[in-house]
Amino acid sequence: AQSVSQHNHHVILSEAASLELGCNYSYGGTVNLFWYVQYPGQHLQLLLKYFSGDPLVKGIKGFEAEFIKSKFSFNLRKPSVQWSDTAEYFCAVGVSNDYKLSFGAGTTVTVRA
Amino acid sequence: DGGITQSPKYLFRKEGQNVTLSCEQNLNHDAMYWYRQDPGQGLRLIYYSQIVNDFQKGDIAEGYSVSREKKESFPLTVTSAQKNPTAFYLCASSILVRPNEQFFGPGTRLTVL
């Protein structure tokens, strides 16, 4: 089974700072990649996804992620964060046509006004 | 308004009691999943079901049971055999052709006293 590593457990930023969250996985075959976000008191929402094609994926709320196959990475970025981006972020990896998603441990992002 | 509903939002039980968590979806999705979320561990798959009357164990199925009698419903029973049942439980669903792309319900927080 694949494993997913998120490098940061807790990130604290000021508003307008840039954000980058690391995600690496351990499967060598074809994968589907996801970032989910969980805002305080809300359910898990899909932020963006990669299945194939352009490795630079744009999601909701100004987030983007880049798939680098050679590095087994799918890092999440946002150029300028807002207080409302305070949330927990999860990277998830699935093998194509398999039902199992493997999740990273999550990164808590706190944005200070 | 399509989505996944989980009830109740909070659940308290005494140790040794079985408890059943509800999950209903009106997205017409074929596959449904149960995850457990613990702080610092991300989401771990308990059970999943691709079709009615069929389900498979995930990574941490011990102490849990499920049924899938209807397409819309996938209840999870936390049995007294589960050694550490206090957790946040998330239900998800997906379409068959994109099983990795899962949509999540709001979750049930179970506390065993």
Side-chain angles (χ1 to χ4, degrees), chain B residues 9-77:
Chain B
K9 188 173 182 180
Y10 298 97
L11 190 55
F12 297 88
R13 280 295 182 269
K14 292 182 180 179
E15 195 172 336
Q17 289 182 331
N18 292 355
V19 60
T20 297
L21 281 58
S22 167
C23 177
E24 304 277 332
Q25 55 98 0
N26 61 3
L27 300 167
N28 199 31
H29 285 176
D30 297 285
M32 297 185 74
Y33 312 80
W34 274 105
Y35 291 88
R36 171 183 171 135
Q37 184 179 3
D38 295 283
Q41 295 193 53
L43 279 71
R44 292 179 291 167
L45 183 64
I46 304 172
Y47 268 98
Y48 65 101
S49 167
Q50 301 168 40
I51 56 172
V52 173
N53 293 323
D54 189 37
F55 46 82
Q56 285 77 41
K57 293 182 179 179
D59 300 318
I60 55 164
E62 186 176 349
Y64 300 97
S65 66
V66 293
S67 63
R68 186 89 186 274
E69 297 176 3
K70 298 187 300 182
K71 185 176 181 179
E72 304 80 23
S73 178
F74 191 42
L76 173 75
T77 297

Side-chain angles (χ1 to χ4, degrees), chain A residues 9 31-32 34 36 38 41-44 46 49 51 88 90 93-101 103-106, chain B residues 31 33 35 37 40-43 45 48 50 57-59 88 90 96-106:
Chain A
H9 179 64
V31 292
N32 299 322
F34 306 85
Y36 284 88
Q38 192 171 35
Q42 296 188 29
H43 64 277
L44 208 62
L46 183 64
K49 60 190 177 186
F51 284 88
E88 190 160 17
F90 294 93
V93 178
V95 175
S96 294
N97 299 319
D98 190 355
Y99 286 82
K100 293 185 179 182
L101 263 186
F103 283 82
Chain B
Y33 312 80
Y35 291 88
Q37 184 179 3
Q41 295 193 53
L43 279 71
L45 183 64
Y48 65 101
Q50 301 168 40
K57 293 182 179 179
D59 300 318
F88 190 51
L90 289 165
L96 279 179
V97 295
R98 279 199 168 184
N100 289 174
E101 189 172 353
Q102 298 176 13
F103 297 87
F104 285 81

